[in-house]
Amino acid sequence: QKEVEQDPGPLSVPEGAIVSLNCTYSNSAFQYFMWYRQYSRKGPELLMYTYSSGNKEDGRFTAQVDKSSKYISLFIRDSQPSDSATYLCAMSAGSARQLTFGSGTQLTVLP
Amino acid sequence: KAGVTQTPRYLIKTRGQQVTLSCSPISGHRSVSWYQQTPGQGLQFLFEYFSETQRNKGNFPGRFSGRQFSNSRSEMNVSTLELGDSALYLCASTGGGRSGTDTQYFGPGTRLTVL
């Protein structure tokens, strides 16, 4: 079993929809949680960074971490076609430079 | 500020050969991490270099090695290539400061195909 599980999708939604992306993990030592966005043929780009449990909001994006359930989420409000990409969750125990990634969820937002 | 650059962007090699990939971090960044991305295994951590020293290492065979130069540029080497080494190799740089608070900036990757 992988340390981080993420539904690979693909997920297809209409423009303007609220998107919910999720990851579960098994390593209770994880305390830094990130969401990356990766466009085709590009490197991952950091979207959200959260330390320990709680919520964090940045524009249309909200990240939630529930350490008791070992579950993290990313919500995208008012989704746009430009949000179409692969979304990767990532987490680490002690070093943000040694990340464990989920397999990524491929999202398509239809105009 | 220029981003992370990786060269070459594409490589085709045959089994048994060796390959060297290069990464130039963002100016001022001292930490460079390498990852392998494949459709089956996703993104997997290879190793991290800081101030010319390997600081962390993932679970990859010894055929995968790296180094970092005094200007923070890093190279990754894979010897005796296997078909399964075909992947996108990503480099990420950070400032290397207080652990857990750094942001990793990824380069565009080098796509390696092993025939």
Side-chain angles (χ1 to χ4, degrees), chain B residues 4 17 23-24 26 38 41-42 45 47 53 60-61 65 83 85-86 91-92 107:
Chain B
V4 178
Q17 288 187 308
C23 171
S24 292
I26 292 171
T38 60
Q41 298 298 318
F45 173 78
F47 31 65
T53 302
F60 276 82
S65 63
L83 294 179
D85 297 333
S86 295
C91 162

Side-chain angles (χ1 to χ4, degrees), chain A residues 25-45:
Chain A
Y25 62 94
S26 57
N27 187 346
S28 56
F30 286 146
Q31 53 182 335
Y32 302 100
F33 304 92
M34 291 137 239
W35 285 94
Y36 282 84
R37 176 175 62 194
Q38 186 174 23
Y39 291 112
S40 181
R41 305 212 174 269
K42 301 279 189 182
E45 168 196 13

Side-chain angles (χ1 to χ4, degrees), chain A:
Chain A
Q1 187 187 2
K2 291 186 176 182
E3 275 189 299
V4 180
E5 298 281 355
Q6 183 176 7
D7 186 341
L11 180 62
S12 198
V13 300
E15 184 175 354
I18 296 175
V19 176
S20 171
L21 304 168
N22 312 293
C23 288
T24 59
Y25 62 94
S26 57
N27 187 346
S28 56
F30 286 146
Q31 53 182 335
Y32 302 100
F33 304 92
M34 291 137 239
W35 285 94
Y36 282 84
R37 176 175 62 194
Q38 186 174 23
Y39 291 112
S40 181
R41 305 212 174 269
K42 301 279 189 182
E45 168 196 13
L46 181 67
L47 279 177
M48 301 288 285
Y49 173 96
T50 310
Y51 171 69
S52 194
S53 286
N55 295 355
K56 187 171 184 179
E57 189 173 320
D58 184 2
R60 296 184 296 111
F61 298 90
T62 299
Q64 290 184 350
V65 174
D66 182 349
K67 290 188 71 178
S68 62
S69 302
K70 296 190 179 67
Y71 187 87
I72 71 170
S73 301
L74 177 71
F75 297 94
I76 307 174
R77 291 183 298 281
D78 188 25
S79 57
Q80 302 295 309
S82 59
D83 295 328
S84 298
T86 296
Y87 289 80
L88 299 146
C89 63
M91 42 200 85
S92 71
S95 166
R97 297 174 294 280
Q98 183 173 355
L99 301 177
T100 301
F101 281 86
S103 56
T105 299
Q106 186 179 343
L107 171 67
T108 301
V109 181
L110 302 169

Side-chain angles (χ1 to χ4, degrees), chain A residues 38-44, chain B residues 9-10 37 88 90 107-109 111:
Chain A
Q38 186 174 23
Y39 291 112
S40 181
R41 305 212 174 269
K42 301 279 189 182
Chain B
R9 292 293 311 277
Y10 301 92
Q37 187 174 30
L88 181 67
L90 290 158
R111 185 162 297 280

Side-chain angles (χ1 to χ4, degrees), chain B:
Chain B
K1 222 181 210 184
V4 178
T5 57
Q6 292 187 245
T7 56
R9 292 293 311 277
Y10 301 92
L11 260 180
I12 299 176
K13 293 285 187 179
T14 56
R15 276 181 301 174
Q17 288 187 308
Q18 75 164 19
V19 67
T20 299
L21 313 180
S22 181
C23 171
S24 292
I26 292 171
S27 177
H29 283 192
R30 298 164 63 192
S31 168
V32 173
S33 298
W34 288 90
Y35 293 82
Q36 181 196 64
Q37 187 174 30
T38 60
Q41 298 298 318
L43 261 160
Q44 293 182 284
F45 173 78
L46 280 157
F47 31 65
E48 182 217 354
Y49 284 87
F50 178 79
S51 291
E52 302 179 62
T53 302
Q54 187 179 90
R55 192 154 63 170
N56 292 295
K57 189 176 190 304
N59 189 24
F60 276 82
R63 299 185 298 106
F64 293 82
S65 63
R67 59 177 176 168
Q68 186 179 34
F69 302 94
S70 58
N71 61 358
S72 294
R73 189 177 71 84
S74 177
E75 287 182 347
M76 192 193 94
N77 185 76
V78 187
S79 63
T80 319
L81 284 166
E82 301 176 359
L83 294 179
D85 297 333
S86 295
L88 181 67
Y89 289 88
L90 290 158
C91 162
S93 79
T94 66
R98 186 160 60 94
S99 179
T101 61
D102 295 331
T103 296
Q104 285 205 314
Y105 295 90
F106 282 83
T110 294
R111 185 162 297 280
L112 172 65
T113 302
V114 182
L115 302 176

